[in-house]
Amino acid sequence: MFEFERPHGGERALLVHINLALQEDQDDLDEFIELVRSAAVIEMELVVGSRQKPTAKTFIGKGKLEEIAGLARQHEVDVVLFNHILSPSQERNLEKHLECRVLDRTGLILDIFAQRAQSFEGKLQVELAQLKHLSTRLVRGWTHLERQKGGIGLRGPGETQLETDRRLLGKRIKYLNNRLAKVSRQRAQSRQARKKAQIPTISLVGYTNAGKSTLFNALTNSSVYTADALFATLDPTLRKLEVNKELCVILADTVGFIRHLPHDLVAAFRATLLEIREADLILHVVDCADDDKHEKMQAVNQVMEEIGAGDVPQLLIYNKIDIPGYQPRIDYDETGIPNRVWLSAISKAGFDELREVLQTRFSDQKLHYQLALRADEGRILAYLHAEGAIEDEIYENNGDISLNLVLSAALLEKLYQKFQLSDKRVQIQTNRLAGVA
């Protein structure tokens, strides 16, 4: 059986994209090419084909397999990149036939993340995601070591090389999980401190390359790395933003999202993405000049649901208005609440409109409210305690609780969305008004 040496890294790459007739949610070819360029490899050639559905053994048919093998030998490529998610057995079979390394879409994204991670936490998260992905593919490069060791002095029972690798991987994954749990606790303490100081937190989210980091730098006078590439920034960054003389908020820049973001990455970055889930407001940055903006917005919202941030209030930021020549403006929903701001992070047009909306949402006025909770609504009670919103609580004989609350407009909106509370249950005390502590 042919054995090949696994290269440490591939620079000359052959790209493969197959259109599947029976698959509705296709991966975008242009986005795949951007991913490849972000990985800093040399694109030798692009192979495009069509099939009704993938084959179980090699994903592609025999004819296309021979074509790719010939091109791989002709260009002496180091790696063949597929714009699809391959099973471990498909990767193994493709590598045997093509005699070079094969990476699927998930492996490519993981490789880009490994290049971009700079902080200690980011490196831990990427390594964890890589090891979880690798743990399902160990057999791919170690089939010749999957037997017991033999020879003089080595005969008898013992671990196979594959079993040893699995055990070592398991220990490393456990170690990384413990370290990330410690980081998660530290982040939780920081969030609690901000809540006690009543400093609102705003998270920037959006599809990768929508201009989040450029907007973040322009608003906070920071120098977070930016580039016209997918996943140009990876590590989360928090900075203070002075909306006006009376209002300061914490602005958090986070990793960009993408279609079919690997589940291992979502799981590994859960501690970081908690900054989004615990935010008071999400600024969803959208490239308004992108023809696929609505599909990309849907992809972002899908990841938000996965991490439990689907109920956090959102404000859409339509960025890059200078490209189509739009004017800055504020759009309102049917109830008169601002739901979209059109701006340019490059020219800073529309920044005054954004500050106006943020000032409205995080007004320095808080109102007194009354809320009656049933005995089985302990989650709402715990949440209001954590937010420091309870002024007084009265327990009734039947177990119900009457609460006197002090809420800002932003916290009230978050309360409605997080627990689907009817506005009829939260009664305002019109004769009382409270200022920010």
Side-chain angles (χ1 to χ4, degrees):
M1 182 183 297
F2 175 82
E3 301 289 351
F4 64 90
E5 293 295 326
R6 299 171 67 83
H8 296 292
E11 292 188 349
R12 298 164 63 88
L14 187 67
L15 316 184
V16 180
H17 175 82
I18 306 297
N19 293 306
L20 301 172
L22 299 182
Q23 182 176 323
E24 294 182 3
D25 191 11
Q26 298 278 353
D27 287 310
D28 185 66
L29 177 56
D30 293 336
E31 184 174 272
F32 175 52
I33 293 174
E34 287 187 46
L35 281 171
V36 171
R37 290 172 181 168
S38 297
V41 299
I42 303 171
E43 311 156 40
M44 302 308 298
E45 193 163 339
L46 171 65
V47 179
V48 178
S50 299
R51 285 190 65 82
Q52 286 292 106
K53 61 180 181 179
T55 63
K57 190 174 183 180
T58 58
F59 192 87
I60 52 179
K62 291 183 179 179
K64 189 61 66 176
L65 183 61
E66 293 302 328
E67 178 189 347
I68 294 171
L71 290 171
R73 288 190 295 268
Q74 175 187 337
H75 295 294
E76 298 180 348
V77 300
D78 301 301
V79 60
V80 177
L81 302 174
F82 277 74
N83 188 26
H84 309 278
I85 298 176
L86 303 175
S87 69
S89 62
Q90 286 170 340
E91 278 194 14
R92 183 170 67 251
N93 293 331
L94 285 167
E95 284 187 338
K96 287 179 180 177
H97 193 90
L98 301 177
E99 301 181 8
C100 68
R101 191 179 179 205
V102 173
L103 271 184
D104 67 354
R105 182 182 174 88
T106 298
L108 176 61
I109 293 174
L110 288 172
D111 183 77
I112 296 171
F113 271 61
Q115 294 180 41
R116 300 286 163 78
Q118 298 295 326
S119 69
F120 174 71
E121 179 187 2
K123 291 177 180 177
L124 285 179
Q125 291 169 325
V126 171
E127 184 183 355
L128 178 60
Q130 286 181 315
L131 291 182
K132 286 184 175 180
H133 183 66
L134 180 62
S135 64
T136 65
R137 285 159 165 75
L138 271 181
V139 68
R140 184 178 62 178
W142 299 99
T143 52
H144 61 296
L145 296 174
E146 203 169 358
R147 54 181 177 269
Q148 300 278 338
K149 293 180 180 179
I152 297 175
L154 295 174
R155 293 188 178 92
E159 282 186 311
T160 66
Q161 181 66 48
L162 187 59
E163 289 168 343
T164 302
D165 292 332
R166 283 176 177 157
R167 177 170 52 81
L168 293 175
L169 265 183
K171 290 177 66 176
R172 182 65 179 172
I173 288 173
K174 183 178 180 181
Y175 166 79
L176 292 173
N177 278 323
N178 290 336
R179 294 300 299 268
L180 285 172
K182 183 177 180 181
V183 172
S184 180
R185 289 193 295 270
Q186 292 171 343
R187 284 189 172 275
Q189 291 172 354
S190 298
R191 283 193 295 270
Q192 288 300 323
R194 294 198 297 268
K195 285 182 179 179
K196 287 182 179 178
Q198 299 198 359
I199 302 175
T201 300
I202 301 174
S203 283
L204 286 172
V205 306
Y207 208 81
T208 184
N209 210 24
K212 291 187 293 68
S213 296
T214 303
L215 178 62
F216 180 85
N217 287 340
L219 287 171
T220 62
N221 296 318
S222 300
S223 56
V224 172
Y225 174 72
T226 61
D228 186 15
L230 301 186
F231 304 118
T233 51
L234 177 60
D235 299 300
T237 309
L238 281 75
R239 295 286 187 274
K240 184 173 73 171
L241 168 63
E242 292 186 0
V243 178
N244 54 38
K245 293 181 179 180
E246 293 80 26
L247 176 62
C248 285
V249 300
I250 297 296
L251 191 63
D253 186 21
T254 57
V255 62
F257 297 151
I258 197 171
R259 290 189 188 97
H260 303 156
L261 193 66
H263 290 291
D264 289 336
L265 268 181
V266 175
F269 277 76
R270 195 166 295 276
T272 300
L273 296 176
L274 277 175
E275 293 291 347
I276 301 174
R277 197 174 79 183
E278 298 297 327
D280 297 292
L281 177 66
I282 288 174
L283 299 186
H284 184 165
V285 183
V286 179
D287 180 356
C288 71
D290 191 340
D291 293 335
D292 296 329
K293 56 180 173 291
H294 296 295
E295 290 78 6
K296 292 180 177 180
M297 289 165 62
Q298 186 177 357
V300 171
N301 288 327
Q302 183 177 347
V303 178
M304 302 269 281
E305 291 290 342
E306 285 186 39
I307 64 173
D311 55 3
V312 180
Q314 276 194 32
L315 175 64
L316 289 174
I317 304 297
Y318 271 35
N319 188 25
K320 305 185 183 182
I321 61 171
D322 48 307
I323 296 177
Y326 297 150
Q327 293 299 313
R329 71 173 191 265
I330 303 172
D331 291 343
Y332 299 85
D333 63 16
E334 60 277 3
T335 63
I337 297 176
N339 62 355
R340 190 183 295 116
V341 177
W342 298 70
L343 55 75
S344 169
I346 296 293
S347 67
K348 298 186 179 182
F351 277 26
D352 289 340
E353 285 80 358
L354 175 59
R355 291 178 185 277
E356 178 185 334
V357 173
L358 294 181
Q359 183 178 357
T360 301
R361 281 184 174 261
F362 299 102
S363 171
D364 60 354
Q365 285 190 331
K366 292 188 176 183
L367 299 178
H368 289 267
Y369 296 88
Q370 288 182 325
L371 171 63
L373 295 179
R374 300 187 302 272
D376 60 350
E377 294 180 311
R379 285 181 62 246
I380 303 177
L381 180 65
Y383 175 77
L384 291 170
H385 270 295
E387 294 290 342
I390 298 179
E391 186 180 45
D392 189 25
E393 51 188 316
I394 303 170
Y395 288 82
E396 308 294 344
N397 293 332
N398 60 358
D400 291 351
I401 309 170
S402 296
L403 300 176
N404 290 327
L405 307 174
V406 181
L407 303 173
S408 64
L411 184 54
L412 178 62
E413 182 180 354
K414 193 172 182 180
L415 185 66
Y416 285 150
Q417 295 197 26
K418 190 174 184 66
F419 300 103
Q420 284 77 51
L421 285 179
S422 166
D423 56 0
K424 295 180 180 179
R425 291 188 59 186
V426 186
Q427 299 293 327
I428 188 171
Q429 296 175 285
T430 54
N431 60 330
R432 300 182 66 190
L433 189 66
V436 170

